[in-house]
Amino acid sequence: MVDFQADADALNAIAADRDLQARLRHRRQEHRLTILTPHPLEAARLLGTTAAAVQSDRPHHVQTLATQLGCHVVLKGSGTLVASPDGNWCVNPTGNARLATAGTGDVLAGLLVGLLAQGVPAFEAASMAVWMHGEAGAEAGPGLIAEDLPEAMPEVFRRLYDLFAVEY
C-alpha cells in the first residue's frame, strides 16, 4: 500500500532538505513504498542540476533519482519514464503535449494509486498508469483540460479489453 506520494511543492521541499531525502531512503529500508512524479524541472531540483541536463539524458537521470532516493520515479514529459530503485525502467509510448496542463498530474496520481489499491506492484502500476494517462490524453483531443481525462477512460478501457480479450 502506498502511504506517501509526492508531487509539486512536496518535491521542492524534498529537494531543499537533505533530512527529508534521508528519510525517503530510510522508508525503502523499512519496505515502505514511495513514488515521486516530477516533471523535468522538479527532477533537476532534486538532483541539483538543470532541466536541460535532465532532458539531455532522461533515462540516466530518472534512474539516478530512483536509486539515490530509494523511490519509484515517474519522470513526466515527452516519453514519460518510470524507474524503480532496483534498476528497472521503461519509456511510455503514449501521450502528447496536451497533457502538460494544470491538474493532469493529479489525474495520473489517481490512476496510479487506484492500481496500487488493487494490488498491482509499484513498477507495473506506474507503467500502466502512465500508459492509460497518455491514451486518455490522446482520446480527449485538442483543448484538453484535466477534467477531460476521466471522461476518456471508458474508451481507453474498451481498447484494452479489445486488445486482451480471450474468446473461449
Side-chain angles (χ1 to χ4, degrees):
M1 177 165 122
V2 165
D3 54 358
F4 185 71
Q5 188 270 338
D7 200 7
D9 287 338
L11 294 172
N12 293 328
I14 293 166
D17 189 332
R18 295 218 184 269
D19 182 56
L20 286 177
Q21 294 169 25
R23 289 178 186 214
L24 286 179
R25 288 187 293 275
H26 184 71
R27 290 174 56 78
R28 174 154 181 176
Q29 294 167 353
E30 295 176 335
H31 304 287
R32 297 175 70 192
L33 177 63
T34 304
I35 299 173
L36 305 178
T37 60
H39 57 61
L41 181 58
E42 291 164 334
R45 288 181 188 134
L46 288 163
L47 291 165
T49 189
T50 65
V54 169
Q55 290 294 80
S56 73
D57 191 351
R58 290 170 56 85
H60 169 74
H61 286 93
V62 72
Q63 192 58 64
T64 298
L65 191 54
T67 302
Q68 283 182 357
L69 296 178
C71 304
H72 285 76
V73 178
V74 174
L75 179 57
K76 299 182 288 192
S78 179
T80 294
L81 299 172
V82 177
S84 69
D86 61 6
N88 291 327
W89 66 277
C90 69
V91 180
N92 179 51
T94 66
N96 55 54
R98 291 188 292 259
L99 289 169
T101 190
T104 59
D106 296 325
V107 175
L108 173 61
L111 285 168
L112 175 53
V113 171
L115 290 164
L116 291 166
Q118 295 177 66
V120 179
F123 182 77
E124 289 80 0
S127 300
M128 292 167 62
V130 297
W131 187 90
M132 292 187 304
H133 185 253
E135 284 290 303
E139 180 66 29
L144 175 142
I145 59 173
E147 290 81 7
D148 296 333
L149 295 175
E151 293 175 14
M153 289 312 297
E155 181 57 31
V156 172
F157 287 123
R158 272 191 284 284
R159 279 190 292 220
L160 280 171
Y161 179 81
D162 290 343
L163 283 171
F164 297 104
V166 176
E167 293 186 31
Y168 295 96

